[in-house]
Amino acid sequence: MKYTNLPHTDIKVSKICLGTMTWGNQNTQDEGFAQMDLALDKGVNFFDVAELYPVPATAETYAETERIIGNWFAKTGNRDKVVLATKIAGPGDYTAHIRTTGFSKKALNEAVEGSLKRLKTDYIDLYQLHWPERETNTFGQRDYKHNPNDKWEDNFNEILHNLDKIVKSGKVRQIGISNEKAWGTMRYLQESKQHNLPRPITIQNAYSLLCRPFEGDLAEIAHRENIGLLAYSPMAFGVLSGKYIKGNAADNARLKLFPRFARYSSEQATEATKRYLKIAEDNNMSLAQMSLAFVNERPFLTSNIIGATNLEQLEENIDSINISLNDDVMKAINKVHASIPNPAP
């Protein structure tokens, strides 16, 4: 395994992070336990979860993933071996069963306390805001379209002040943001600098061969402000395994169970995937390992959040850390990207 530090800290994390959002839906508790055992054995010390998980989010399965992790901590005593990240859900129709109060003081306190209880721990290493409260182009929306009727009011300072109290209580060590854009990222950094408030040290956004918008303004911010990318969906919901275009996806594959998550299955995304598959096969790699190795080697990456529904997938994904892509492979990848840029933003 390879390791780095969370930016601005001495907290060492593996460059592969264990994603967990299938546990409690596609995966049972026992399967989640087995994944955590294997990941830890292979040097993965960084786990990412959210109160929202498992996804798709429902009232019946709310926060089940956190409960599974908490039960594993209780069973194994491994809490001190894991750097643990979780998130408060942002507002939206699909989170109304959780709360409708956004990132208010009451919401933050309630969410942190709930996560601590379910995770059976007295501290969270990295606490993240799952997506912005304001209306912006997240989750597959390519361009920003301003809504003059958006009722959101600037509350970056208020959120950081409330998080400051939680950090000082010892319940949270560091904070991060997720599904955020360049403007929101800089506003958080501006407020933290000007008012000596907690600084977001990571940004968890989608990033893969099919989704590279982070390489625009956010990549410059990541480098110049030292805020590290936690890349999620590096396998594009399993599309970048090649199993859908090969026709050998299992019945419990994510896009078979939940076809509404179709942003990675457009005609352009499918054509790009076919081209990436050929590059991988021509260079004696699986598409999964090439896709993950590409993300692992990005200079703005802090950790690559991988997920799997079985141990064989998980082991292959973790082992991508041992693969380096040569210049010829990178040239071929970037040729596809130039021809079909960001088909699944």
Side-chain angles (χ1 to χ4, degrees):
M1 183 51 58
K2 296 176 183 176
Y3 298 89
T4 187
N5 283 1
L6 292 178
H8 307 278
T9 79
D10 60 358
I11 302 172
K12 185 176 80 169
V13 294
S14 48
K15 294 208 75 172
I16 297 289
C17 176
L18 181 62
T20 63
M21 73 176 183
T22 61
W23 305 350
N25 190 329
Q26 287 171 266
N27 288 112
T28 65
Q29 174 168 285
D30 286 346
E31 289 169 340
F33 279 18
Q35 287 194 30
M36 287 184 276
D37 290 340
L38 176 64
L40 197 62
D41 185 59
K42 293 184 74 68
V44 174
N45 75 333
F46 193 18
F47 295 1
D48 179 73
V49 66
E51 65 167 343
L52 181 75
Y53 297 167
V55 173
T58 67
E60 292 73 27
T61 61
Y62 166 60
E64 187 61 24
T65 310
E66 286 191 328
R67 293 186 188 92
I68 289 171
I69 295 173
N71 291 341
W72 182 77
F73 285 149
K75 177 184 177 182
T76 64
N78 282 336
R79 174 65 185 95
D80 63 339
K81 297 178 182 177
V82 172
V83 177
L84 181 63
T86 192
K87 316 174 194 74
I88 178 175
D93 293 341
Y94 46 94
T95 56
H97 62 279
I98 301 176
R99 69 183 69 82
T100 58
T101 47
F103 301 146
S104 66
K105 180 179 180 180
K106 180 176 183 295
L108 284 164
N109 287 326
E110 175 188 286
V112 168
E113 292 298 334
S115 288
L116 289 171
K117 182 177 181 180
R118 291 184 292 267
L119 291 163
K120 293 181 169 61
T121 184
D122 54 7
Y123 70 99
I124 296 162
D125 294 290
L126 179 66
Y127 197 66
Q128 302 156 99
L129 307 174
H130 209 153
W131 57 82
E133 290 181 293
R134 68 190 189 280
E135 293 185 25
T136 188
N137 54 317
T138 54
F139 300 118
Q141 299 176 52
R142 188 177 292 275
D143 300 316
Y144 173 73
K145 294 179 176 62
H146 187 66
N147 178 8
N149 298 315
D150 183 2
K151 296 180 180 179
W152 173 81
E153 296 180 359
D154 190 319
N155 61 345
F156 292 100
N157 185 279
E158 177 186 354
I159 290 170
L160 290 179
H161 265 102
N162 291 328
L163 285 170
D164 186 44
K165 294 175 184 176
I166 295 171
V167 170
K168 287 177 177 174
S169 76
K171 296 175 182 177
V172 165
R173 297 177 71 188
Q174 300 291 336
I175 67 164
I177 51 181
S178 181
N179 295 298
E180 192 45 277
K181 312 303 288 187
W183 182 78
T185 302
M186 289 306 299
R187 286 290 291 112
Y188 277 117
L189 293 173
Q190 176 190 35
E191 292 295 332
S192 70
K193 290 176 184 178
Q194 290 184 351
H195 302 284
N196 193 30
L197 294 168
R199 174 194 181 101
I201 60 169
T202 56
I203 176 169
Q204 183 175 149
N205 281 24
Y207 184 78
S208 71
L209 286 172
L210 300 178
C211 178
R212 295 171 60 175
F214 191 89
E215 294 176 11
D217 293 343
L218 279 168
E220 182 178 11
I221 292 171
H223 283 295
R224 296 190 184 279
E225 300 291 337
N226 193 19
I227 181 169
L229 173 65
L230 305 181
Y232 78 79
S233 292
M235 290 281 291
F237 275 37
V239 167
L240 286 170
S241 68
K243 61 188 177 186
Y244 294 104
I245 57 178
K246 288 182 176 180
N248 59 3
D251 290 340
N252 69 340
R254 193 154 187 80
L255 291 181
K256 282 193 174 183
L257 291 175
F258 313 117
R260 67 183 179 275
F261 295 120
R263 79 192 233 204
Y264 297 111
S265 303
S266 67
E267 183 178 338
Q268 284 188 313
T270 300
E271 176 58 29
T273 302
K274 290 178 180 177
R275 297 187 193 184
Y276 289 130
L277 176 60
K278 186 176 189 309
I279 296 169
E281 291 178 341
D282 287 348
N283 288 274
N284 300 311
M285 289 181 283
S286 71
L287 177 56
Q289 289 189 316
M290 186 184 83
S291 299
L292 292 172
F294 169 78
V295 176
N296 294 340
E297 293 182 345
R298 298 306 90 205
F300 42 74
L301 182 84
T302 290
S303 195
N304 186 4
I305 305 173
I306 56 100
T309 51
N310 62 64
L311 295 182
E312 184 180 3
Q313 289 176 348
L314 181 61
E315 188 157 12
E316 179 184 25
N317 292 351
I318 293 173
D319 286 347
S320 70
I321 198 67
N322 299 313
I323 294 175
S324 294
L325 303 183
N326 62 40
D327 289 344
D328 288 341
V329 171
M330 285 303 303
K331 286 177 183 177
I333 285 173
N334 285 323
K335 184 177 180 180
V336 176
H337 179 59
S339 177
I340 312 176
N342 296 318

